[in-house]
Coordinates of all heavy atoms in Angstrom, one line a residue:
M1 N 208.0 -123.3 16.6 CA 208.4 -122.6 15.4 C 208.3 -121.0 15.6 O 209.2 -120.3 15.1 CB 207.5 -123.0 14.3 CG 207.9 -122.5 13.0 SD 209.4 -123.3 12.5 CE 209.5 -122.9 10.8
Q2 N 207.3 -120.6 16.3 CA 207.1 -119.1 16.6 C 208.3 -118.6 17.4 O 208.8 -117.5 17.1 CB 205.8 -118.9 17.3 CG 205.5 -117.4 17.4 CD 204.2 -117.1 18.1 OE1 203.6 -118.1 18.6 NE2 203.8 -115.9 18.2
V3 N 208.8 -119.3 18.3 CA 210.0 -118.9 19.1 C 211.2 -118.8 18.3 O 212.0 -117.8 18.4 CB 210.2 -119.8 20.3 CG1 211.5 -119.5 21.0 CG2 209.0 -119.8 21.3
L4 N 211.4 -119.7 17.4 CA 212.5 -119.7 16.5 C 212.4 -118.5 15.5 O 213.4 -117.8 15.3 CB 212.6 -121.0 15.7 CG 213.9 -121.2 14.9 CD1 215.1 -121.2 15.8 CD2 213.8 -122.6 14.1
N5 N 211.3 -118.2 15.0 CA 211.1 -117.0 14.1 C 211.4 -115.8 14.9 O 212.0 -114.9 14.4 CB 209.7 -117.0 13.6 CG 209.5 -118.0 12.5 OD1 210.4 -118.5 11.9 ND2 208.2 -118.4 12.3
H6 N 210.9 -115.7 16.1 CA 211.2 -114.5 17.0 C 212.7 -114.4 17.2 O 213.2 -113.3 17.2 CB 210.5 -114.7 18.3 CG 210.7 -113.5 19.2 ND1 210.2 -112.2 18.9 CD2 211.4 -113.4 20.4 CE1 210.6 -111.4 19.9 NE2 211.3 -112.1 20.8
F7 N 213.4 -115.5 17.4 CA 214.8 -115.4 17.7 C 215.5 -114.8 16.4 O 216.4 -113.9 16.6 CB 215.4 -116.8 17.9 CG 216.9 -116.8 17.9 CD1 217.6 -116.4 19.0 CD2 217.6 -117.3 16.8 CE1 219.0 -116.4 19.0 CE2 219.0 -117.4 16.8 CZ 219.7 -116.9 17.9
F8 N 215.2 -115.3 15.2 CA 215.9 -114.8 14.1 C 215.5 -113.4 13.7 O 216.3 -112.6 13.2 CB 215.7 -115.7 12.9 CG 216.5 -117.0 12.9 CD1 215.9 -118.2 13.2 CD2 217.9 -116.9 12.8 CE1 216.6 -119.4 13.3 CE2 218.6 -118.1 12.9 CZ 218.0 -119.3 13.2
T9 N 214.3 -113.0 14.0 CA 213.9 -111.6 13.8 C 214.7 -110.7 14.7 O 215.2 -109.6 14.3 CB 212.4 -111.4 14.1 OG1 211.7 -112.3 13.2 CG2 211.9 -110.0 13.9
T10 N 214.8 -111.1 16.0 CA 215.6 -110.3 16.9 C 217.0 -110.2 16.5 O 217.7 -109.2 16.6 CB 215.5 -110.9 18.4 OG1 214.1 -111.0 18.7 CG2 216.2 -110.2 19.4
L11 N 217.6 -111.4 16.1 CA 219.0 -111.4 15.7 C 219.2 -110.4 14.5 O 220.2 -109.7 14.5 CB 219.3 -112.8 15.2 CG 220.8 -113.1 14.8 CD1 221.7 -112.9 16.0 CD2 220.9 -114.5 14.2
K12 N 218.3 -110.4 13.5 CA 218.5 -109.5 12.4 C 218.4 -108.1 12.9 O 219.1 -107.2 12.4 CB 217.4 -109.8 11.4 CG 217.6 -111.0 10.6 CD 216.5 -111.2 9.6 CE 216.6 -112.6 8.8 NZ 215.5 -112.8 7.9
N13 N 217.4 -107.8 13.7 CA 217.2 -106.4 14.1 C 218.3 -105.9 15.0 O 218.7 -104.7 14.9 CB 215.9 -106.2 14.9 CG 214.7 -106.3 14.0 OD1 214.8 -106.0 12.8 ND2 213.6 -106.8 14.5
E14 N 218.9 -106.7 15.9 CA 219.9 -106.3 16.8 C 221.3 -106.4 16.3 O 222.2 -105.7 16.8 CB 219.7 -107.1 18.1 CG 218.5 -106.7 18.9 CD 218.3 -107.5 20.1 OE1 219.1 -108.4 20.5 OE2 217.3 -107.3 20.8
I15 N 221.6 -107.2 15.3 CA 222.9 -107.3 14.8 C 223.0 -107.0 13.3 O 223.7 -106.1 12.9 CB 223.5 -108.8 15.0 CG1 223.5 -109.1 16.5 CG2 224.8 -108.9 14.5 CD1 223.8 -110.5 16.8
Y16 N 222.3 -107.8 12.5 CA 222.5 -107.7 11.1 C 222.2 -106.3 10.5 O 223.0 -105.8 9.7 CB 221.6 -108.7 10.4 CG 221.7 -108.8 8.9 CD1 222.7 -109.4 8.3 CD2 220.7 -108.2 8.1 CE1 222.8 -109.5 6.9 CE2 220.8 -108.3 6.8 CZ 221.8 -108.9 6.2 OH 221.9 -108.9 4.8
Y17 N 221.1 -105.7 10.9 CA 220.8 -104.4 10.3 C 221.6 -103.2 10.9 O 221.6 -102.1 10.4 CB 219.3 -104.1 10.5 CG 218.4 -105.1 9.7 CD1 217.4 -105.8 10.3 CD2 218.7 -105.3 8.3 CE1 216.6 -106.7 9.5 CE2 217.9 -106.2 7.6 CZ 216.9 -106.8 8.2 OH 216.1 -107.7 7.5
Q18 N 222.3 -103.4 12.0 CA 223.0 -102.3 12.7 C 224.5 -102.3 12.4 O 225.2 -101.4 12.7 CB 222.7 -102.4 14.2 CG 221.3 -102.2 14.5 CD 221.1 -102.1 16.0 OE1 222.0 -102.0 16.8 NE2 219.8 -102.2 16.4
K19 N 225.0 -103.4 11.8 CA 226.5 -103.5 11.6 C 226.7 -103.9 10.1 O 225.9 -104.5 9.5 CB 227.1 -104.5 12.5 CG 227.0 -104.2 13.9 CD 227.7 -105.3 14.8 CE 227.5 -105.0 16.2 NZ 228.1 -106.0 17.1
S20 N 227.9 -103.6 9.6 CA 228.3 -104.1 8.4 C 229.6 -104.9 8.6 O 230.4 -104.5 9.5 CB 228.5 -103.0 7.3 OG 229.5 -102.1 7.8
F21 N 229.8 -106.0 7.9 CA 230.9 -106.9 8.2 C 231.8 -107.0 6.9 O 231.3 -107.1 5.8 CB 230.4 -108.2 8.6 CG 229.5 -108.2 9.8 CD1 228.1 -108.2 9.6 CD2 230.0 -108.1 11.0 CE1 227.3 -108.2 10.7 CE2 229.2 -108.1 12.1 CZ 227.8 -108.1 12.0
A22 N 233.1 -107.0 7.2 CA 234.1 -107.1 6.1 C 234.1 -108.5 5.5 O 234.4 -108.7 4.3 CB 235.4 -106.6 6.6
A23 N 233.9 -109.5 6.4 CA 234.0 -110.9 5.9 C 232.9 -111.7 6.7 O 232.4 -111.3 7.7 CB 235.4 -111.4 6.2
R24 N 232.7 -112.9 6.1 CA 231.7 -113.8 6.7 C 232.1 -114.2 8.1 O 231.3 -114.3 9.0 CB 231.6 -115.0 5.7 CG 230.5 -115.9 6.1 CD 230.4 -117.1 5.2 NE 229.3 -117.9 5.4 CZ 228.2 -118.0 4.6 NH1 228.2 -117.4 3.5 NH2 227.2 -118.8 5.0
D25 N 233.4 -114.5 8.3 CA 233.9 -114.9 9.6 C 233.6 -113.8 10.7 O 233.3 -114.1 11.8 CB 235.4 -115.2 9.6 CG 235.6 -116.6 8.9 OD1 234.7 -117.4 8.7 OD2 236.7 -116.8 8.4
A26 N 233.8 -112.6 10.3 CA 233.5 -111.5 11.2 C 232.0 -111.4 11.6 O 231.7 -111.2 12.8 CB 233.9 -110.1 10.6
A27 N 231.2 -111.7 10.7 CA 229.7 -111.8 10.9 C 229.4 -112.9 11.9 O 228.6 -112.8 12.8 CB 228.9 -111.9 9.6
K28 N 230.0 -114.1 11.6 CA 229.8 -115.3 12.5 C 230.2 -115.0 13.9 O 229.5 -115.3 14.8 CB 230.6 -116.5 11.9 CG 230.0 -117.2 10.8 CD 230.9 -118.4 10.5 CE 230.5 -119.2 9.3 NZ 231.4 -120.3 9.0
M29 N 231.4 -114.4 14.1 CA 231.9 -114.1 15.4 C 231.0 -113.1 16.1 O 230.7 -113.2 17.3 CB 233.3 -113.6 15.4 CG 234.3 -114.7 15.0 SD 234.2 -116.2 16.0 CE 234.6 -115.6 17.6
S30 N 230.5 -112.1 15.4 CA 229.6 -111.1 16.0 C 228.3 -111.7 16.5 O 227.8 -111.4 17.6 CB 229.4 -110.0 15.0 OG 228.5 -109.0 15.6
I31 N 227.8 -112.6 15.7 CA 226.5 -113.3 16.0 C 226.8 -114.2 17.2 O 226.0 -114.2 18.2 CB 226.0 -114.1 14.8 CG1 225.5 -113.2 13.8 CG2 224.9 -115.1 15.3 CD1 225.2 -113.8 12.4
I32 N 227.8 -115.0 17.2 CA 228.1 -115.9 18.4 C 228.3 -115.0 19.7 O 227.8 -115.4 20.7 CB 229.4 -116.7 18.1 CG1 229.0 -117.8 17.0 CG2 229.9 -117.4 19.4 CD1 230.2 -118.5 16.4
D33 N 229.1 -114.0 19.6 CA 229.3 -113.1 20.7 C 228.0 -112.5 21.2 O 227.8 -112.5 22.4 CB 230.3 -112.0 20.4 CG 231.7 -112.4 20.2 OD1 232.0 -113.6 20.7 OD2 232.5 -111.7 19.7
S34 N 227.2 -112.1 20.3 CA 225.9 -111.5 20.7 C 225.0 -112.5 21.4 O 224.4 -112.2 22.4 CB 225.2 -110.9 19.5 OG 224.0 -110.4 19.9
I35 N 225.0 -113.7 20.9 CA 224.1 -114.8 21.5 C 224.7 -115.1 22.9 O 223.9 -115.2 23.9 CB 224.0 -116.0 20.6 CG1 223.2 -115.7 19.4 CG2 223.4 -117.2 21.4 CD1 223.3 -116.7 18.3
E36 N 226.0 -115.4 23.0 CA 226.6 -115.8 24.2 C 226.6 -114.7 25.3 O 226.3 -114.9 26.5 CB 228.0 -116.3 24.0 CG 228.0 -117.6 23.3 CD 227.4 -118.8 24.1 OE1 227.5 -118.8 25.3 OE2 226.7 -119.6 23.4
A37 N 227.0 -113.5 24.9 CA 227.2 -112.4 25.9 C 225.9 -111.6 26.2 O 225.7 -111.1 27.3 CB 228.2 -111.4 25.4
Y38 N 225.0 -111.5 25.2 CA 223.8 -110.7 25.5 C 222.5 -111.4 25.5 O 221.8 -111.4 26.4 CB 223.8 -109.5 24.4 CG 222.5 -108.7 24.5 CD1 222.3 -107.9 25.6 CD2 221.5 -108.8 23.6 CE1 221.2 -107.1 25.7 CE2 220.4 -108.0 23.7 CZ 220.2 -107.2 24.8 OH 219.1 -106.4 24.9
Y39 N 222.2 -112.1 24.4 CA 220.9 -112.8 24.2 C 220.6 -113.8 25.3 O 219.5 -113.8 25.9 CB 220.8 -113.5 22.8 CG 219.4 -113.8 22.4 CD1 218.6 -112.9 21.9 CD2 218.9 -115.1 22.6 CE1 217.3 -113.2 21.5 CE2 217.6 -115.4 22.3 CZ 216.8 -114.5 21.7 OH 215.5 -114.8 21.3
N40 N 221.6 -114.6 25.7 CA 221.4 -115.6 26.7 C 221.6 -115.2 28.1 O 221.1 -115.7 29.1 CB 222.3 -116.9 26.4 CG 221.8 -117.7 25.3 OD1 220.7 -117.6 24.8 ND2 222.7 -118.4 24.7
C41 N 222.5 -114.2 28.3 CA 222.9 -113.8 29.6 C 222.3 -112.5 30.2 O 222.4 -112.3 31.4 CB 224.5 -113.7 29.6 SG 225.3 -115.2 29.3
R42 N 221.8 -111.6 29.3 CA 221.3 -110.4 29.9 C 219.9 -110.0 29.3 O 219.3 -109.1 30.0 CB 222.3 -109.2 29.5 CG 223.6 -109.4 30.3 CD 224.5 -108.2 30.0 NE 224.8 -108.1 28.6 CZ 225.7 -107.4 28.1 NH1 226.5 -106.7 28.9 NH2 226.0 -107.4 26.8
R43 N 219.5 -110.5 28.2 CA 218.3 -110.1 27.6 C 217.1 -110.8 28.2 O 217.0 -112.0 28.1 CB 218.3 -110.3 26.1 CG 217.2 -109.7 25.3 CD 217.4 -110.0 23.9 NE 216.3 -109.5 23.1 CZ 215.1 -110.0 22.9 NH1 214.8 -111.1 23.5 NH2 214.2 -109.4 22.2
P44 N 216.0 -110.1 28.7 CA 214.8 -110.8 29.2 C 214.0 -111.4 28.0 O 214.0 -110.7 26.9 CB 214.0 -109.7 29.8 CG 215.0 -108.6 30.0 CD 216.0 -108.7 29.0
H45 N 213.4 -112.5 28.1 CA 212.7 -113.2 27.1 C 211.2 -113.3 27.4 O 210.9 -113.8 28.5 CB 213.3 -114.6 26.8 CG 214.7 -114.6 26.4 ND1 215.0 -114.5 25.1 CD2 215.8 -114.6 27.1 CE1 216.4 -114.5 25.0 NE2 216.9 -114.6 26.2
L46 N 210.4 -112.9 26.5 CA 209.0 -112.9 26.7 C 208.5 -114.3 26.9 O 207.6 -114.6 27.8 CB 208.3 -112.3 25.4 CG 206.7 -112.5 25.4 CD1 206.1 -111.7 26.5 CD2 206.2 -112.0 24.0
S47 N 209.0 -115.3 26.2 CA 208.5 -116.7 26.2 C 208.8 -117.4 27.6 O 208.2 -118.4 27.9 CB 209.1 -117.5 25.1 OG 210.5 -117.5 25.2
I48 N 209.7 -116.8 28.4 CA 209.9 -117.4 29.7 C 209.7 -116.3 30.8 O 210.4 -116.1 31.7 CB 211.3 -117.9 29.8 CG1 212.4 -117.0 29.4 CG2 211.5 -119.2 29.1 CD1 213.9 -117.4 29.6
D49 N 208.5 -115.6 30.6 CA 208.1 -114.6 31.6 C 209.1 -113.5 31.9 O 209.3 -113.1 33.0 CB 207.6 -115.3 32.9 CG 206.5 -116.2 32.7 OD1 205.6 -115.9 31.8 OD2 206.5 -117.2 33.4
Y50 N 209.7 -113.0 30.8 CA 210.7 -111.9 30.9 C 211.8 -112.2 31.9 O 212.4 -111.3 32.5 CB 210.0 -110.6 31.3 CG 209.1 -110.1 30.2 CD1 207.7 -110.3 30.3 CD2 209.6 -109.4 29.1 CE1 206.9 -109.9 29.2 CE2 208.8 -109.0 28.1 CZ 207.4 -109.2 28.2 OH 206.6 -108.8 27.1
R51 N 212.2 -113.5 31.9 CA 213.4 -113.8 32.7 C 214.6 -114.0 31.7 O 214.4 -114.0 30.5 CB 213.2 -115.2 33.4 CG 212.2 -115.0 34.5 CD 212.1 -116.3 35.3 NE 211.6 -117.4 34.4 CZ 211.7 -118.7 34.7 NH1 212.3 -119.1 35.8 NH2 211.3 -119.6 33.8
I52 N 215.7 -114.0 32.2 CA 216.9 -114.1 31.4 C 217.2 -115.6 31.2 O 217.0 -116.4 32.1 CB 218.1 -113.5 32.1 CG1 217.9 -112.0 32.2 CG2 219.4 -113.8 31.4 CD1 218.8 -111.2 33.1
A53 N 217.5 -116.0 30.0 CA 217.6 -117.5 29.7 C 218.5 -118.2 30.6 O 218.2 -119.3 31.1 CB 218.1 -117.6 28.2
V54 N 219.7 -117.7 30.9 CA 220.6 -118.4 31.8 C 220.0 -118.6 33.2 O 220.1 -119.7 33.8 CB 221.9 -117.6 32.0 CG1 222.8 -118.2 33.0 CG2 222.7 -117.6 30.6
E55 N 219.3 -117.7 33.7 CA 218.6 -117.8 35.0 C 217.5 -118.8 34.9 O 217.3 -119.6 35.9 CB 218.0 -116.5 35.5 CG 219.1 -115.5 35.8 CD 218.5 -114.1 36.1 OE1 217.3 -113.9 36.0 OE2 219.3 -113.2 36.4
A56 N 216.7 -118.9 33.9 CA 215.7 -119.8 33.7 C 216.2 -121.3 33.6 O 215.7 -122.2 34.3 CB 214.9 -119.6 32.4
I57 N 217.3 -121.4 33.0 CA 218.0 -122.8 32.9 C 218.5 -123.2 34.3 O 218.3 -124.3 34.7 CB 219.1 -122.8 31.8 CG1 218.5 -122.6 30.4 CG2 220.0 -124.0 32.0 CD1 219.5 -122.4 29.3
D58 N 219.1 -122.2 35.0 CA 219.6 -122.5 36.3 C 218.5 -123.0 37.2 O 218.6 -123.9 38.0 CB 220.3 -121.3 36.9 CG 221.7 -121.1 36.3 OD1 222.2 -122.0 35.6 OD2 222.2 -120.0 36.5
T59 N 217.4 -122.3 37.2 CA 216.2 -122.6 38.0 C 215.7 -124.0 37.6 O 215.3 -124.8 38.5 CB 215.0 -121.6 37.7 OG1 215.5 -120.3 38.1 CG2 213.8 -121.9 38.5
L60 N 215.7 -124.3 36.4 CA 215.2 -125.7 35.9 C 216.1 -126.7 36.5 O 215.6 -127.7 37.1 CB 215.2 -125.8 34.4 CG 215.0 -127.1 33.8 CD1 213.5 -127.6 34.1 CD2 215.3 -127.2 32.4
F61 N 217.4 -126.6 36.5 CA 218.3 -127.6 37.0 C 218.2 -127.6 38.6 O 218.4 -128.7 39.1 CB 219.7 -127.3 36.6 CG 219.9 -127.8 35.1 CD1 220.2 -126.9 34.1 CD2 219.8 -129.1 34.8 CE1 220.4 -127.3 32.8 CE2 220.0 -129.6 33.5 CZ 220.3 -128.6 32.5
E62 N 218.0 -126.5 39.2 CA 217.8 -126.5 40.7 C 216.6 -127.3 41.1 O 216.6 -128.0 42.0 CB 217.7 -125.1 41.2 CG 219.1 -124.4 41.3 CD 220.1 -125.1 42.1 OE1 219.7 -125.5 43.2 OE2 221.2 -125.2 41.7
R63 N 215.5 -127.2 40.3 CA 214.3 -127.9 40.6 C 214.5 -129.4 40.4 O 213.8 -130.2 41.0 CB 213.2 -127.5 39.6 CG 212.5 -126.2 40.1 CD 211.2 -126.0 39.3 NE 211.1 -124.6 39.0 CZ 210.5 -124.1 38.0 NH1 210.0 -124.9 37.1 NH2 210.5 -122.8 37.8
R64 N 215.3 -129.8 39.5 CA 215.5 -131.2 39.2 C 216.4 -131.9 40.2 O 216.4 -133.1 40.4 CB 216.1 -131.4 37.8 CG 215.2 -131.0 36.7 CD 215.7 -131.3 35.4 NE 215.6 -132.7 35.2 CZ 216.0 -133.4 34.1 NH1 216.6 -132.7 33.2 NH2 215.9 -134.7 34.0
K65 N 217.3 -131.2 40.9 CA 218.2 -131.8 41.8 C 217.5 -132.6 42.9 O 217.9 -133.7 43.2 CB 219.1 -130.7 42.4 CG 220.3 -130.3 41.5 CD 221.2 -129.3 42.2 CE 222.3 -128.9 41.2 NZ 223.2 -127.9 41.8
P66 N 216.5 -132.1 43.6 CA 215.9 -132.9 44.7 C 215.3 -134.2 44.1 O 215.3 -135.2 44.8 CB 214.8 -132.0 45.2 CG 215.3 -130.6 44.9 CD 216.0 -130.7 43.6
M67 N 214.7 -134.1 42.9 CA 214.1 -135.3 42.3 C 215.2 -136.4 42.1 O 214.9 -137.5 42.3 CB 213.4 -134.9 41.0 CG 212.2 -134.1 41.2 SD 211.4 -133.7 39.6 CE 210.6 -135.3 39.3
E68 N 216.4 -136.0 41.6 CA 217.4 -136.9 41.4 C 217.8 -137.6 42.7 O 218.0 -138.8 42.8 CB 218.6 -136.2 40.8 CG 218.3 -135.8 39.3 CD 219.4 -134.9 38.8 OE1 220.4 -134.6 39.5 OE2 219.3 -134.5 37.6
K69 N 217.9 -136.8 43.8 CA 218.3 -137.4 45.1 C 217.2 -138.4 45.6 O 217.5 -139.5 46.1 CB 218.5 -136.3 46.1 CG 219.7 -135.5 45.9 CD 219.8 -134.4 46.9 CE 221.0 -133.4 46.5 NZ 221.1 -132.3 47.5
V70 N 215.9 -138.0 45.5 CA 214.8 -138.9 45.9 C 214.9 -140.2 45.1 O 214.7 -141.3 45.7 CB 213.5 -138.2 45.8 CG1 212.3 -139.2 45.9 CG2 213.4 -137.0 46.7
M71 N 215.1 -140.1 43.8 CA 215.1 -141.3 43.0 C 216.3 -142.2 43.3 O 216.2 -143.4 43.3 CB 215.2 -140.9 41.5 CG 213.9 -140.2 41.0 SD 213.9 -139.8 39.3 CE 213.5 -141.3 38.6
A72 N 217.4 -141.6 43.7 CA 218.6 -142.4 44.1 C 218.3 -143.2 45.4 O 218.7 -144.3 45.5 CB 219.8 -141.5 44.2
V73 N 217.7 -142.5 46.3 CA 217.4 -143.2 47.6 C 216.4 -144.3 47.4 O 216.5 -145.3 48.0 CB 216.8 -142.1 48.6 CG1 216.3 -142.8 49.9 CG2 217.9 -141.1 48.9
A74 N 215.4 -144.1 46.5 CA 214.4 -145.1 46.3 C 214.9 -146.4 45.6 O 214.4 -147.5 45.8 CB 213.3 -144.5 45.5
A75 N 216.0 -146.2 44.9 CA 216.6 -147.3 44.2 C 217.4 -148.2 45.1 O 217.3 -149.1 45.6 CB 217.5 -146.9 43.1

């Protein structure tokens, strides 16, 4: 829950309070762009040791690959 609260606090500080939007759809697109282009791909996150989310996910999947191969051989 704390991570989710931190996410929305960051979202408000980095997008909502710095821009004004003419329409709801413009706000939605700005939020989606910000999450996809900045928050997940370039912004370091405290909860994952100041790594970038995309890199942390890639590392997780790289760690799982050898386990999948070992399990397939054992079967």
Side-chain angles (χ1 to χ4, degrees):
M1 188 69 167
Q2 185 178 5
V3 173
L4 191 59
N5 286 338
H6 179 68
F7 170 78
F8 284 110
T9 299
T10 302
L11 185 67
K12 286 179 185 177
N13 288 333
E14 292 178 356
I15 298 172
Y16 181 77
Y17 294 128
Q18 294 184 16
K19 297 179 184 180
S20 59
F21 303 99
R24 186 181 189 112
D25 287 341
K28 280 183 182 179
M29 290 308 298
S30 180
I31 290 168
I32 290 168
D33 288 344
S34 179
I35 290 169
E36 290 296 323
Y38 176 69
Y39 195 84
N40 287 339
C41 297
R42 292 186 298 197
R43 186 181 182 280
H45 297 270
L46 171 65
S47 62
I48 51 176
D49 298 327
Y50 291 100
R51 291 185 299 162
I52 296 169
V54 170
E55 292 172 357
I57 291 169
D58 289 344
T59 301
L60 173 67
F61 284 114
E62 285 300 315
R63 282 193 217 149
R64 294 188 73 185
K65 281 183 182 178
M67 292 181 74
E68 291 171 359
K69 289 178 185 175
V70 170
M71 292 180 83
V73 171

